[in-house]
Amino acid sequence: MRIHRLEVQAFGPFAERVVVDVDDVSAGGLFLVHGPTGSGKTSLLDAVCFALYADVPGARRKQALRSDHAAPDAVPQVVLEATVGGRRLRITRSPEWFRPKKRGTGTTRVQPSVVLEELRDGAWDPVSTRHDEVADVVLDVLGMGLKQFASVVMLPQGDFAAFLRATPEDRREILERLFDIGVYADVEQWLADARRDGAAGLDAARAGLEADLVRLDDVLGAVAPAGDGGPAEESGPTLAETSLADLPARLAEVATSLAGRVTTSLATLDAAETAEGHATRALTEARALLERRRRGAEAQARLARLDAEAGEHGARVATLEAADRAAGVRGHLGALTRLRTEADALTRDGDRLHDVVAALGVDLDAAPVAELASRTAALDDVAAALHRDTATARDLAAGLERGEAQRAGLATRREEVAAELPGVRAALEAASRDVERLSAGGARADDLAAAVVEAEKRLAVLDALERDRTRLTVLDPEVLAARETLSARLADLIALQQRRLDEMAAELAGSLADGSPCPVCGSAEHPAPAVAVDPVTPQQLTHAEGVVALARTAVGAVEAEVAELTAAVRTREDLLGGSSRAEVETALAAARAAHREAREAGRALGEAAAGLRRAREAAERLGTEHETLGATLASLDERLAEVATEAETVATRLAADLAEHTGCPCGGGADPLRHTEVRDALARLAAARSTREAALERLAEATADLDAALAEAGFDTADEARAAVLPVPEADRLRDAVLGHERDRVAAAAALAEPEVVAALAAEPPALDALEEAFGRARRAVLAAGSEHDALGRASRTLERVRPALEEACAAVAERAHRHERVRELADTVGGTGADNTLRMRLSSFVLAARLEKVATLANERLAVMGGGRYLLEHTDDRAARNARSGLGLRVLDQWTGRARDTASLSGGESFMASLALALGLADAVREEAGGLDLGTLFIDEGFGSLDDDSLEQVLTVLDGLREGGRAVGVVSHVADLRARIPHQVVVTKGAAGSGVTVRTDTAVPAA
């Protein structure tokens, strides 16, 4: 993989867009990434990982990748161009972020996005915008996940320094993230699962077999002979208590015993069933005889009752026969009644309509009703035209009247507007003059306000001048007093100093000792040393000097205040120019009065301007209204002339309509509603008379049909037939009664004629209670024998059914126990907990130990160059202390002493070189396992500060060797010497507005 270009925007500490052209900065193969702490060096490496895997290594959350320095609407984005597996790819990826809402306040969530492109024929072609598809492509071309990539390409030295000193168990966790040992871990897990499943299966098989045996014991216990609680006659343990080895023989013994008991119970059941058969037949025959006697008695009683009802039955038969004959003429009677009612109703309707037409004033004797209706309908169009013309003439007359009234009102208003116009125009001119006058006064308001402020300042200066003069008057005696106090304190200090000089001899004498030379005369004898009367101590002198200093400070402070006030008074007097208070206050009052007048003029100006606008609007409104009224009057005169002409035309047409409508049966008037009413009434009357005549014809036909039907049914009159008619429910009731009487007589006679009934009536009744008691005893004996036989049969069948399965279950449990023991031993050995695994190494740790040996071999190729070839890394599988897991140990072989020691004994620089060599070896090993992927770009993060000059030179020699084959190596470091040694640099800077990036490709690098 070769990285060509990295672009970062609003990501990590980078608020603005930064671009790192890796091809340019890595032209020399080795380049340096440096900058202050927290500037974002590692964030550039995180950006590479985020572009590839949508995530970053370490503890940083991918939800917090957006720069806090960026603008609220800046889009966080990373663009990475790289060549992987011969394909030139460009990945543009943005994390989830929250942008300000376009409407209102708050933020809205923006989904993460990705765009994958590939360079083909000089142009970028889109490949995918789906996260899962891009992840598949990256995994396919790189062959490693984020953790492997971060460990192989980024080489974080802190992590490998910890790896160097880690315990074997911690080192195993790190190696598992870098090497694919999934198949071996799966084997471990599979064996552990098989051990757990085998134990569970064995426990379940044992529990199942025991449950089956307990259930079988319950079944056998239910058929045990009286006085024995076991499953068979023989004493001994239950099946559930029997050992697996003895269980088959025990099952055979129980089966033989059950078979003998089943045979015995079957013979007992046969004898009981035979006795039950005899009792059943005797009881059945007795019950049949009693039933026949009961039927004979009921038939005799029923015949006697039917004979008593013979008269009533004959009356019902006669009534039913007459009703059947009357049913044939029922339809004719109904039709005649309905038609007579219809004819009467139509006659009443015709009379009512005749009265309605007569009330309308129509002469019904002048012609037949149908003819009058036809003549009236023929004049419908004329009546409609007469109605329309009458309404039009009425509307035109009303319109002319309204138009004349409107014209009079408009003419009056036009005269009023013409009279108002001169006054409004005069008011407009007066308002214009007031505005001009007030504008001139209001314009001076600002100048006069400045004059007021200036006058107020002069008055304030005068007030301050008077205050300063008063203060100077107060300070004059204070200055004199402070000076006198200072003179007194100086006198006291001089007196103390003089006393100390006067008593200096006594002070020297106090330090003399016999035999010691005098510091003045050198004599060793001191016959008359001076004696101090009132000695002055150094503390007294120091106190007096302090008091003098305080007095001198007080004098200086008062004199400084007097000088300051004097200068201020002189300055303020110059500003006032000798003006008195009365002059200053008079000038201020005049300025305020002038300013007040100007402000009043300004306030009045607003009102005057508003009045001017109102006057101008009134003048314009009246002028416009006067012109509009004139145009409206002219238009209205034209419309009135048109309406008058139209009214004359309608009057002529109305006269012609009236002449044509004369002679109509409605009276020939001009009322169209009367014409319509008369026309409809005549039409209804003609229709009613036609319908009545048809109904009378149908009534005559129905009367003739009824007479013929009565004769045929045997009735003399219609009333006789109506009396014979019965309602359908009543007829059905009589018919059911007649048929029921006849059926009961036939059934009773048939029952008394049966030979069995005749014989039963002649025989004696049987003793039924004794027979039922005998049957009960026989039945209970059968049930008891059958229950015992069924229970024994079920127990025998159950035993025969489950016996093979139980025997197989015994064998299966034994087989499971043997297999589980073998799997458990193998799983314990592979998992590192078996007794034979003295190093307590897991299978995956054993595989990782081989990888670690390869890593140590590859690391020693670089470590042999660094450190003068003194140290080599060795893999060790020595047993760890306190029974800890072993097999992934590392130690250092010191070739100068030939002794191997712990990696923790290395110094800081030695640890860095060892961890760097280990990181490079580990990267080579992971790269080989990933299919030999060529990593064209590597990054080495920090750790160079612990090296001395010679060691740093050796490390750089190794890094130079990494550049073979065109590989680019990026070193991330703070070390200042590296800036002078590596000319190609990516400089990361930080500031309050975010971090920035500068690329240097100069061959001459300034010293740090």
Side-chain angles (χ1 to χ4, degrees), residues 292-306 744-753 757 761:
R292 288 192 290 271
R293 288 176 60 82
R294 183 191 61 78
R295 287 178 56 206
E298 288 181 355
Q300 290 173 349
R302 190 160 57 248
L303 282 176
R305 178 175 53 80
L306 291 176
D744 287 347
R745 178 172 289 279
V746 171
L752 289 174
V757 175
L761 291 173

Short mmCIF file of all heavy atoms in Angstrom, two decimals, residues 292-306 744-753 757 761:
data_model
loop_
_atom_site.label_atom_id
_atom_site.label_comp_id
_atom_site.label_asym_id
_atom_site.label_seq_id
_atom_site.Cartn_x
_atom_site.Cartn_y
_atom_site.Cartn_z
N ARG A 292 -94.40 -53.84 26.80
CA ARG A 292 -95.57 -54.21 26.00
C ARG A 292 -96.86 -54.04 26.82
O ARG A 292 -97.89 -53.60 26.30
CB ARG A 292 -95.43 -55.66 25.51
CG ARG A 292 -94.38 -55.81 24.41
CD ARG A 292 -94.47 -57.17 23.75
NE ARG A 292 -94.04 -58.26 24.62
CZ ARG A 292 -92.79 -58.69 24.72
NH1 ARG A 292 -91.83 -58.13 23.97
NH2 ARG A 292 -92.49 -59.70 25.53
N ARG A 293 -96.84 -54.36 28.08
CA ARG A 293 -98.02 -54.16 28.92
C ARG A 293 -98.36 -52.66 29.02
O ARG A 293 -99.54 -52.26 29.00
CB ARG A 293 -97.76 -54.73 30.32
CG ARG A 293 -97.76 -56.26 30.38
CD ARG A 293 -97.41 -56.73 31.78
NE ARG A 293 -98.37 -56.26 32.78
CZ ARG A 293 -99.54 -56.82 33.04
NH1 ARG A 293 -99.92 -57.91 32.38
NH2 ARG A 293 -100.34 -56.34 33.98
N ARG A 294 -97.32 -51.80 29.14
CA ARG A 294 -97.56 -50.36 29.22
C ARG A 294 -98.18 -49.84 27.94
O ARG A 294 -99.14 -49.04 27.96
CB ARG A 294 -96.23 -49.63 29.50
CG ARG A 294 -96.39 -48.12 29.68
CD ARG A 294 -95.03 -47.47 29.68
NE ARG A 294 -94.32 -47.69 28.42
CZ ARG A 294 -94.59 -47.00 27.30
NH1 ARG A 294 -95.55 -46.09 27.25
NH2 ARG A 294 -93.90 -47.26 26.19
N ARG A 295 -97.71 -50.32 26.75
CA ARG A 295 -98.23 -49.85 25.47
C ARG A 295 -99.70 -50.26 25.31
O ARG A 295 -100.53 -49.50 24.81
CB ARG A 295 -97.41 -50.44 24.34
CG ARG A 295 -96.03 -49.81 24.19
CD ARG A 295 -95.25 -50.49 23.09
NE ARG A 295 -95.99 -50.43 21.84
CZ ARG A 295 -95.87 -51.31 20.84
NH1 ARG A 295 -95.04 -52.33 20.97
NH2 ARG A 295 -96.58 -51.17 19.73
N GLY A 296 -100.08 -51.48 25.74
CA GLY A 296 -101.47 -51.93 25.63
C GLY A 296 -102.39 -51.09 26.47
O GLY A 296 -103.49 -50.70 26.04
N ALA A 297 -101.98 -50.77 27.71
CA ALA A 297 -102.81 -49.96 28.59
C ALA A 297 -102.99 -48.56 28.02
O ALA A 297 -104.10 -47.98 28.07
CB ALA A 297 -102.16 -49.89 29.98
N GLU A 298 -101.91 -47.95 27.49
CA GLU A 298 -102.03 -46.62 26.91
C GLU A 298 -102.96 -46.63 25.70
O GLU A 298 -103.75 -45.69 25.50
CB GLU A 298 -100.64 -46.11 26.50
CG GLU A 298 -99.77 -45.74 27.67
CD GLU A 298 -98.43 -45.22 27.20
OE1 GLU A 298 -98.18 -45.26 25.96
OE2 GLU A 298 -97.62 -44.76 28.04
N ALA A 299 -102.96 -47.66 24.84
CA ALA A 299 -103.82 -47.72 23.66
C ALA A 299 -105.29 -47.83 24.07
O ALA A 299 -106.18 -47.19 23.47
CB ALA A 299 -103.42 -48.90 22.79
N GLN A 300 -105.62 -48.61 25.09
CA GLN A 300 -107.00 -48.74 25.55
C GLN A 300 -107.52 -47.39 26.07
O GLN A 300 -108.65 -46.98 25.78
CB GLN A 300 -107.08 -49.79 26.66
CG GLN A 300 -106.85 -51.22 26.16
CD GLN A 300 -106.75 -52.23 27.29
OE1 GLN A 300 -106.64 -51.84 28.47
NE2 GLN A 300 -106.76 -53.52 26.94
N ALA A 301 -106.69 -46.67 26.84
CA ALA A 301 -107.12 -45.38 27.36
C ALA A 301 -107.32 -44.37 26.24
O ALA A 301 -108.23 -43.54 26.26
CB ALA A 301 -106.08 -44.87 28.37
N ARG A 302 -106.47 -44.38 25.23
CA ARG A 302 -106.57 -43.42 24.12
C ARG A 302 -107.84 -43.65 23.33
O ARG A 302 -108.52 -42.69 22.91
CB ARG A 302 -105.33 -43.53 23.24
CG ARG A 302 -105.25 -42.41 22.23
CD ARG A 302 -103.83 -42.22 21.70
NE ARG A 302 -103.29 -43.42 21.11
CZ ARG A 302 -102.30 -44.13 21.60
NH1 ARG A 302 -101.73 -43.76 22.74
NH2 ARG A 302 -101.88 -45.23 21.00
N LEU A 303 -108.27 -44.92 23.05
CA LEU A 303 -109.49 -45.20 22.29
C LEU A 303 -110.72 -44.72 23.05
O LEU A 303 -111.67 -44.18 22.45
CB LEU A 303 -109.61 -46.71 22.02
CG LEU A 303 -108.74 -47.27 20.88
CD1 LEU A 303 -108.87 -48.78 20.80
CD2 LEU A 303 -109.11 -46.61 19.56
N ALA A 304 -110.73 -44.89 24.37
CA ALA A 304 -111.87 -44.42 25.15
C ALA A 304 -111.99 -42.90 25.05
O ALA A 304 -113.10 -42.35 24.92
CB ALA A 304 -111.69 -44.87 26.61
N ARG A 305 -110.87 -42.19 25.11
CA ARG A 305 -110.92 -40.73 25.03
C ARG A 305 -111.40 -40.27 23.66
O ARG A 305 -112.18 -39.32 23.53
CB ARG A 305 -109.52 -40.15 25.34
CG ARG A 305 -109.45 -38.65 25.24
CD ARG A 305 -108.09 -38.17 25.68
NE ARG A 305 -107.01 -38.84 24.98
CZ ARG A 305 -106.61 -38.51 23.74
NH1 ARG A 305 -107.23 -37.57 23.07
NH2 ARG A 305 -105.60 -39.16 23.19
N LEU A 306 -110.99 -40.93 22.57
CA LEU A 306 -111.39 -40.54 21.21
C LEU A 306 -112.88 -40.78 20.98
O LEU A 306 -113.56 -40.00 20.28
CB LEU A 306 -110.57 -41.34 20.19
CG LEU A 306 -109.07 -40.98 20.13
CD1 LEU A 306 -108.35 -41.91 19.16
CD2 LEU A 306 -108.86 -39.53 19.71
N ASP A 744 -104.54 -40.80 15.91
CA ASP A 744 -104.51 -41.43 17.24
C ASP A 744 -105.40 -42.70 17.26
O ASP A 744 -105.04 -43.72 17.86
CB ASP A 744 -105.02 -40.43 18.28
CG ASP A 744 -104.00 -39.33 18.55
OD1 ASP A 744 -102.82 -39.50 18.11
OD2 ASP A 744 -104.34 -38.31 19.18
N ARG A 745 -106.57 -42.64 16.61
CA ARG A 745 -107.45 -43.82 16.58
C ARG A 745 -106.79 -44.98 15.85
O ARG A 745 -106.82 -46.14 16.32
CB ARG A 745 -108.79 -43.45 15.92
CG ARG A 745 -109.76 -44.64 15.80
CD ARG A 745 -111.11 -44.16 15.32
NE ARG A 745 -111.79 -43.41 16.37
CZ ARG A 745 -112.46 -43.93 17.38
NH1 ARG A 745 -112.53 -45.24 17.50
NH2 ARG A 745 -113.08 -43.16 18.28
N VAL A 746 -106.16 -44.71 14.69
CA VAL A 746 -105.51 -45.77 13.93
C VAL A 746 -104.35 -46.37 14.72
O VAL A 746 -104.17 -47.58 14.78
CB VAL A 746 -105.03 -45.22 12.58
CG1 VAL A 746 -104.16 -46.25 11.85
CG2 VAL A 746 -106.22 -44.84 11.71
N ALA A 747 -103.53 -45.52 15.38
CA ALA A 747 -102.37 -46.02 16.13
C ALA A 747 -102.80 -46.87 17.32
O ALA A 747 -102.20 -47.92 17.62
CB ALA A 747 -101.53 -44.83 16.60
N ALA A 748 -103.85 -46.41 18.05
CA ALA A 748 -104.29 -47.18 19.22
C ALA A 748 -104.82 -48.54 18.80
O ALA A 748 -104.54 -49.56 19.44
CB ALA A 748 -105.35 -46.37 19.99
N ALA A 749 -105.60 -48.59 17.73
CA ALA A 749 -106.14 -49.87 17.26
C ALA A 749 -105.02 -50.80 16.82
O ALA A 749 -105.06 -52.01 17.07
CB ALA A 749 -107.12 -49.60 16.13
N ALA A 750 -104.01 -50.26 16.13
CA ALA A 750 -102.90 -51.10 15.67
C ALA A 750 -102.14 -51.67 16.84
O ALA A 750 -101.70 -52.83 16.83
CB ALA A 750 -101.98 -50.27 14.78
N ALA A 751 -101.92 -50.87 17.92
CA ALA A 751 -101.17 -51.36 19.08
C ALA A 751 -101.92 -52.49 19.77
O ALA A 751 -101.33 -53.51 20.18
CB ALA A 751 -100.93 -50.20 20.06
N LEU A 752 -103.26 -52.38 19.92
CA LEU A 752 -104.03 -53.43 20.59
C LEU A 752 -104.13 -54.70 19.75
O LEU A 752 -104.41 -55.78 20.29
CB LEU A 752 -105.44 -52.90 20.90
CG LEU A 752 -105.50 -51.84 22.02
CD1 LEU A 752 -106.91 -51.29 22.15
CD2 LEU A 752 -105.03 -52.43 23.35
N ALA A 753 -103.89 -54.58 18.41
CA ALA A 753 -103.97 -55.76 17.55
C ALA A 753 -102.67 -56.55 17.51
O ALA A 753 -102.63 -57.65 16.97
CB ALA A 753 -104.37 -55.31 16.14
N VAL A 757 -98.49 -57.61 22.39
CA VAL A 757 -99.21 -56.80 23.39
C VAL A 757 -100.35 -57.59 24.00
O VAL A 757 -100.60 -57.55 25.21
CB VAL A 757 -99.74 -55.51 22.71
CG1 VAL A 757 -100.60 -54.72 23.69
CG2 VAL A 757 -98.56 -54.65 22.23
N LEU A 761 -100.55 -58.45 27.99
CA LEU A 761 -101.67 -58.07 28.85
C LEU A 761 -102.24 -59.26 29.60
O LEU A 761 -102.75 -59.13 30.72
CB LEU A 761 -102.76 -57.38 28.03
CG LEU A 761 -102.40 -55.99 27.47
CD1 LEU A 761 -103.51 -55.49 26.54
CD2 LEU A 761 -102.15 -55.00 28.60
#
